[in-house]
Every structure is written in structure tokens, then in C-alpha cells.
Amino acid sequence: MAPISIKTVLISESVDPRCRSILEQHGIRVTERQNMKKDELIAEIKSYDGLVVRSATKVTADVIDAADNLKIIGRAGTGVDNVDVDAATKKGIIVMNTPSGNTISAAELTCALLMSLSRNVPQAVISMKEGHWDRKKFMGSELFGKVLGIVGLGRIGKEVASRMQSFGMRTIGYDPITPPEVSASWGVEQMPLEKLWPQCDYITVHTPLMPSTVGLLNDESFAKCKEGVKVVNCARGGIIDEAALLRALESGQCGGAGLDVFVEEPPRNRALVEHPNVVSCPHLGASTREAQARCGEDIALQMVDMVKGSKLVGAVNAQILVSTFSEDSHQLITLGEVVGAVLQACIGGNKPLRSVQITTHPGDCMKSSTSYLSSSVLVGLLKNQTCCPNLINVLSLAEEAGITVPQQGLGKKEKENSGSLTGQPEPQRGLPVLLELCGSLFRQPVALAGSLLFFKARASPQLLSSVAGLLTTAGVDVESFSAPAGGAGSLWYSAGVSTLLPDLSALKPLVEDAAQLSL
């Protein structure tokens, strides 16, 4: 991937000073403005290339729409539910988080809440401070031999499992992504949720907040659990249905809850916070000095790595870019863009393209390039048709334009609607070349650089001299020429020219179709 220019960054929340220091060491100007209201952020963001937030700043579609220069939004922490990722993607903005920055801190807080629920520690502390000595009132339970269900077996879930196994707990879990053999290697038996709920003495959730996880623990789920099950949520408010949890607490179906997160923060509805069997914290999962230092440092280093073009870590909406950090990928992306531009110039002007299929020849270099090569062709295809296409947003822009991109090797080709273009980076100079255009195989590969004229005509002895004469009359010099290798009917020719023709209609008496572009 060609390095992305980031010259200015706005930090809108309190992050570790190392974040600013690292960015400034690499020539990036940093402004820190905390506690901005939405209107203030909208006014401020216009002039920045990058934005660093934690969880309090809401980067809504309105904010993103106002960000004329924004190229990256960095979330110093896990999760990005305070960022409108879809709006950012549509505008071609990378959204990045620090997936491992607060892993240990969140896992340790989860364990602390599990132990607090087990032994009623917070309630006992309050009672002591009020002058009481109620040993019988705070009878607890051992964790040893109990079953802990872990919903979400990513980094944090894994760390929780490791720690709670040291207490002699049996750990079971569910995750739709982590393979069962992987979680089994660190002592967690995976199973469907329907099988997990009835076995658990304790349940902790560690999933992102998304439509499929909203209300994951609800009335129906609680009804399937053991009576008195205890639950912990240090992930995101809303994964546990708060109304259902309150009903389960009041009925005794749930014996206690440890909550670090809420749907609304701070919660105006205090029913859960004030319930005697609830241990609650004001979203402290990442609130350790170590986690804050790590997240602030990580987000700055990830931005710097991206700016330098060395690697991309933590991007949640731009996985396509991960494979684009090599010289080969730079050449292939350039190739794709110029091939797309040629396709648009020669084919797209006559009839709107509805499907573009990109096929690559087998080879180690091409195995990892198919996705970004397809997207780069679309970038070139749409560059003059829509606003600012790039590898991040081009698939959604193509969809809006009614262009489908079949998977490699799939899809029926309709001859009248499709163009066939192949090319490869020229090995000596790294310049992309065009080998074939719509069935016309060129005798000499066409270097895709400078000003190019393509025209379609039937072969004749006078064709080249007639076209060259017309160009000379118009003050245009022919610098290179490539004819088709042969074939019946009308075929495509290419000429490198000193400048574009003022008016292509001058060629009409000589050719059936013509297109020109500067690359």
C-alpha cells in the first residue's frame, strides 16, 4: 500500500502522553482538545487527517461527513461501537483500534467481579464501614469445582479462562469464530449456547456489541440457566438484556451480577446499580495505568506504521489493506487502477458497466492479491465517476453504481457488456503494461503511462498513416504505436501521444470507436 499522508491528528480524549510524543517524533502535528460537544467536534475535525478517541467521543455520521481530510480514526482501546464504521468506510476512512491494549486489565477486572460475587466482598465492606459485624449475612461460595461459561473466546476470554482455571473452575465456552481445537488447547471446551446455559454456575461475556449479540442473555436464556447463576459483563452494555437481568435477580433465577458496562452510561435507571446482589463499576475495564499507557502507545505506533507504509495492525474496516505492504503489491495496485481507467475510457462510455470480473493467472504472488487487485480495478473504473474512490470504500461505491464483482472465476460473461483486460508489471521499470483489450491482443505490450489513444477499426494498409496524419494536423505527435496481433473484424489499436486530442470526433471518418486518457 502506498503510504497514507497523515500530517495532523486531533486527540479528543485523555490518552497516555506517549501517544502524542510518538506521533510528534514522526513529524505529525498533534492537537489535544477534550470534552468537546458534538457541534464543537464537527467544527474542529475539518482540518485534521487523523482522530484519536477512547470511548466517550461519539464519532457519528455527522462528524465523519464534516471531516473533509480525515483518513484514519484511531480508537485507543478495544471495540469501536462509538464510531460509525459504515459511514467511515463509505468515505474511505480507516477505523483502527488497539485489540490487545486493555486485554489484561479487562480480564483481571472480570476475575475480580467473579470473586466479589462469590464472596460478597463489596457488600461486606460497606457493612463494615457502617459499623456492622454480620458474618452470617455474607456467607459465600467457593469457586473451586464450579463451572464458568465464557461467551466470546477472543483475547480477553482466553485470559479469563487461564486465571479462573487456577481457582479450580471448569471452563466451557462459545465462540462462532475461534476453532474448538484452539480453545481446547487452553482448557476451554466449546459447545452451542443451548448446551452451555444449563451447565454454568457463572457466566461471563466477552463479545463485541452487534445485532447478533444484543440481548444475548435475555429472559429465554436465563430460563435455561441454573437457578442462582451469577453473571458478569465487562464487555459492552446491552449484551445482557438489563430488564431481563433485573427480573431474573428479583425472582432468584440469577443469584448476582457483576456489571462494569451499561446500555446508558452513566445509567439514569438505577434499579440494577442499587440492587443488593449487583456489584457495579463505572466502566473500569481499561482503567489501569498499564492499559492506558499500552493503548495510547499502541494506537500511535499503529498510525506511524501505516504512514510509513510498513504494516497495518488493528484496522476493523480495511482488512483488504493488510496484504498491500510490499513493492509487488504497489505495482499490482497501480496496474489494477490503470487497467480500470482504460476499461472505463474504452468501454464504459458507450454503455454503463454492470459487472466487472477480474481473473488472475495462478502464482504465489497472485494468491494474496486477488481481493485488492479487484478493488484497485474498480478504483480506476470509478475515479472519474464518483467522489474519491479508494480500496476501503470502492466496493460499496461500486454497489451503489450498480456494478457487481463476481468472485474470481465465477459469473457468466455477457459479451456485449464485458471488457477483457490483462496486464502485468513490466519487470525492468515496474511500469504496468496492457497485453489485451477486448479480444485484441497487442503485438507489443502497451505501457500504461502518459497520454494514450485507443481506437477500434478494421485493418487496412492506410490506417496508421491516415490516423498519424490526422494527429499531426491537430498538433499531436505519435510517440509509440501498438497494433493487434491479428484477428477478424474490428480490433483495438493503441498509440502513445504527446498530448490528448482536443476533439475525438475528428477520428470518426477513420475509426469505429475511440477513447483517450492520461495516466
Side-chain angles (χ1 to χ4, degrees), residues 117-120 135-142:
L117 290 174
S118 164
R119 299 303 295 272
N120 301 306
R135 296 181 66 189
K136 292 182 179 180
K137 183 178 180 180
F138 301 113
M139 179 68 67
S141 301
E142 290 183 352

Side-chain angles (χ1 to χ4, degrees), residues 241-244 246-247 250 259 261-275 278 280:
D241 184 319
E242 293 180 354
L246 186 59
R247 287 189 288 271
E250 291 175 344
L259 303 176
V261 290
F262 297 85
V263 173
E264 181 183 40
E265 295 184 353
R268 283 184 289 184
N269 184 341
R270 305 279 299 175
L272 279 174
V273 174
E274 294 172 359
H275 195 283
V278 171
S280 58

